Amino acid sequence: MAGFRALAREVRNPRNTIALRRTSLRKCLERFAPYGHRATWRHLCARAGLAPDDRAPDPALLIAALAELEEAREVWLAYEARFAGRRRREKHHGIRQPSAIDDWYRNTWGGCDIVPCASPDLTPDARLADVLRRVIAAMESTPGDACPVCGQERVEWRTDLERYPLEGPVCADCGIVVPVSVLTPAALAAAHRRTFAGRYAGV
């Protein structure tokens, strides 16, 4: 099975048919899709100016989408290397108990659903790499009261998510499922209250 770099070369190869180049880009998302496969595809298409269902897109647009994906992957690989180094040092010093950041990393292993979006139709406006940097920074900082990606406080607790986590805080502005550990207890309580108020607003 081809890896991410081999598939990226197929996307860039001008000798390949446009259909194969598009398919290769889609297969790249099987190796690395920070928002989940569908949401990441929709995001890349929107940013590059691609129509999601276009079977014969402009090759330049495919390459633009690939470049954004590659940039984000480099951010993630660098984080993985730092994470592995930190865990080696902690284990050397006898620290075996996993932390909240360890739990988040284990559930994002492989580079898919790192920052899952509740719906493929709502993703952050920023570049993927910038989103990953913001979430990683939030994971390594003290908890806050707002979404680490867009800075808004309109976070609602959802219990109907389609993939892991099956429930959690979702930013109503940018659509990400916010890692629980980056929010303060007060922010999580407010998210639950918003959900409760929304359910019973029409009663």
Side-chain angles (χ1 to χ4, degrees):
M1 184 178 291
F4 184 94
R5 289 187 178 91
L7 290 166
R9 286 194 295 270
E10 293 300 305
V11 178
R12 288 196 167 90
N13 189 343
R15 293 189 296 274
N16 288 338
T17 65
I18 192 62
L20 176 58
R21 296 171 74 177
R22 179 186 183 277
T23 298
S24 296
L25 179 59
R26 291 299 299 262
K27 286 184 177 179
C28 283
L29 300 183
E30 295 172 8
R31 314 301 189 272
F32 183 72
Y35 297 154
H37 191 285
R38 289 175 60 214
T40 303
W41 176 247
R42 292 289 187 89
H43 170 86
L44 291 174
C45 287
R47 297 230 359 131
L50 283 164
D53 297 324
D54 187 354
R55 301 295 174 178
D58 182 339
L61 301 183
L62 286 178
I63 292 173
L66 174 64
E68 178 170 351
L69 189 65
E70 287 178 317
E71 179 190 16
R73 185 170 178 268
E74 289 303 312
V75 170
W76 183 246
L77 291 177
Y79 170 73
E80 285 190 320
R82 293 197 308 274
F83 179 91
R86 177 178 66 81
R87 286 300 294 145
R88 281 194 299 270
R89 291 190 298 274
E90 288 177 347
K91 288 178 180 178
H92 178 73
H93 292 293
I95 301 173
R96 300 280 175 176
Q97 186 66 29
S99 64
I101 194 171
D102 298 322
D103 291 338
W104 175 68
Y105 177 76
R106 277 198 299 272
N107 291 316
T108 58
W109 186 86
C112 292
D113 291 314
I114 298 168
V115 187
C117 291
S119 167
D121 298 320
L122 179 59
T123 63
D125 292 330
R127 292 179 67 81
L128 282 170
D130 292 335
V131 170
L132 290 182
R133 289 187 188 101
R134 292 170 193 172
V135 173
I136 290 168
M139 291 300 299
E140 296 176 341
S141 304
T142 56
D145 293 319
C147 170
V149 172
C150 67
Q152 300 298 318
E153 295 186 4
R154 293 198 320 129
V155 176
E156 301 172 354
W157 191 269
R158 294 271 299 274
T159 58
D160 58 347
L161 304 179
E162 295 181 357
R163 300 180 312 282
Y164 182 89
L166 296 178
E167 63 177 291
V170 174
C171 178
D173 289 276
C174 71
I176 72 159
V177 181
V178 183
V180 170
S181 58
V182 308
L183 295 173
T184 63
L188 291 171
H192 281 284
R193 285 197 301 273
R194 288 188 189 94
T195 301
F196 184 82
R199 286 177 183 168
Y200 294 97
V203 176

